Amino acid sequence: MKLFDSHAHYNDHRYAEEFEGGMEGAISAAMNEGVCGFICVGTEPDNCRRAIDIAEKYTKGFAAVGLHPEDANMFPREKLPAVIDDIASLLSHPKVVALGEIGLDYHWDTPHDLQKEVFEAQLCIAEEKKIPVIIHDREAHGDIFDMLRAHPDVKGVMHCYSGSAEMAKDYVRRGWYISFAGPVSYKNAENVRAACRAVPLDRILIETDCPYLTPVPFRGKINHSGYMKYTLAAMAQARGEDEETLARATIENSMRLFGIEL
Ligand SMILES: [Zn+2]
């Protein structure tokens, strides 16, 4: 069975420190499990460039570039427009298939107005360049929903979805894709499974968000795309679908959304 990881951070320094063989070791472990490719996602200019370098090493490796709401904190506020311009300049690279991850994260203490400013600027770029976006939404469901509604031409994926089933249906109606990661397998994540059931087969994606969010039974260990089969099993069980059908749908949906061949 073939799987494509729509959201991975092989550019994360944890691979060099914690995984035998580093990033290359993790990707080859994933490929041994039938993973055909991945989107390596950046969150600030340096690791966006690293994401592109990694994507270039693999036929079905791709990259996404964006300024994550938490990483916006790394720069003085007056430098942010230049940082965003720098990231936007990477969008024309042939391996870059999406703008992301971008969004809002209210779990930590980056000021909300600063996060919204950075998010809004990048939504405008996505609109202008007609490129899909990858949305990070942590404890900010209402504000994300409102800001996306103000940009009806921007489309993409809600990554590691954690909102309600109702909201998932609303996103689908407006042309969005919904992606699920390891948490769908967690014991206390009935709300995530309910959302997973609510998404039609032609709008669902699968991802790891590795090195984070490792699915059961490896929760707590460093994650890689090879563990996605456990996430797939949890999704298929929640939806009452066979794994093969679901796996094939996630591949077709990734190809359609990101305009790639898998
Ligand atoms: Zn991520």
Side-chain angles (χ1 to χ4, degrees):
M1 186 160 40
K2 190 165 94 170
L3 283 172
F4 178 75
D5 190 348
S6 68
H7 192 115
H9 297 284
Y10 287 117
N11 47 354
D12 194 291
H13 60 84
R14 278 186 63 193
Y15 285 108
E17 290 152 15
E18 296 174 41
F19 204 98
E20 205 187 322
M23 167 277 291
E24 272 116 347
I27 294 174
S28 71
M31 296 203 162
N32 287 338
E33 297 288 343
V35 173
C36 69
F38 57 85
I39 298 178
C40 190
V41 180
T43 61
E44 43 79 20
D46 283 350
N47 71 22
C48 285
R49 288 190 164 82
R50 216 149 56 231
I52 294 173
D53 288 347
I54 293 168
E56 281 185 313
K57 294 191 170 96
Y58 299 89
T59 321
K60 288 174 183 174
F62 301 92
V65 299
L67 183 59
H68 188 285
E70 282 309 302
D71 292 49
N73 242 349
M74 295 165 45
F75 306 95
R77 197 160 185 159
E78 66 277 10
K79 291 265 167 64
L80 286 171
V83 172
I84 292 169
D85 278 353
D86 183 22
I87 288 175
S89 75
L90 303 173
L91 291 170
S92 56
H93 189 284
K95 281 286 193 178
V96 174
V97 297
L99 201 172
E101 54 184 300
I102 59 173
L104 302 172
D105 192 321
Y106 292 171
H107 186 74
W108 308 107
D109 47 12
T110 306
H112 295 188
D113 64 323
L114 175 106
Q115 294 193 41
K116 285 181 178 173
E117 202 177 293
V118 166
F119 185 32
E120 175 64 22
Q122 294 180 96
L123 287 175
C124 292
I125 292 168
E127 202 157 47
E128 186 196 313
K129 308 251 182 195
K130 299 181 172 41
I131 187 162
V133 293
I134 296 174
I135 301 293
H136 173 95
D137 168 5
R138 191 168 184 198
E139 298 168 21
H141 306 323
D143 283 354
I144 294 257
F145 192 80
D146 290 345
M147 288 179 71
L148 292 178
R149 206 163 39 183
H151 292 273
D153 294 335
V154 175
K155 296 283 151 42
V157 56
M158 304 300 298
H159 119 78
C160 190
Y161 186 74
S162 59
S164 68
E166 269 320 299
M167 196 175 256
K169 284 189 216 165
D170 219 314
Y171 277 121
V172 165
R173 268 196 293 277
R174 290 187 296 117
W176 284 77
Y177 290 75
I178 310 286
S179 180
F180 295 91
V184 73
S185 71
Y186 298 171
K187 196 174 167 210
N188 62 357
E190 200 37 65
N191 60 324
V192 180
R193 285 184 286 277
C196 184
R197 268 191 294 278
V199 178
L201 193 58
D202 64 347
R203 292 302 180 79
I204 200 161
L205 294 185
I206 190 167
E207 62 170 90
T208 55
D209 203 20
C210 64
Y212 311 102
L213 303 179
T214 313
V216 171
F218 293 106
R219 192 175 180 182
K221 282 187 70 176
I222 187 167
N223 199 4
H224 65 76
S225 313
Y227 291 154
M228 234 174 357
K229 58 184 177 186
Y230 301 103
T231 302
L232 178 81
M235 289 168 69
Q237 196 187 17
R239 295 168 61 84
E241 236 156 39
D242 70 281
E243 294 180 19
E244 188 66 52
T245 305
L246 184 56
R248 209 172 314 121
T250 61
I251 298 253
E252 282 165 14
N253 298 341
S254 298
M255 287 172 46
R256 191 184 322 112
L257 173 60
F258 299 111
I260 55 180
E261 248 350 287
L262 294 173

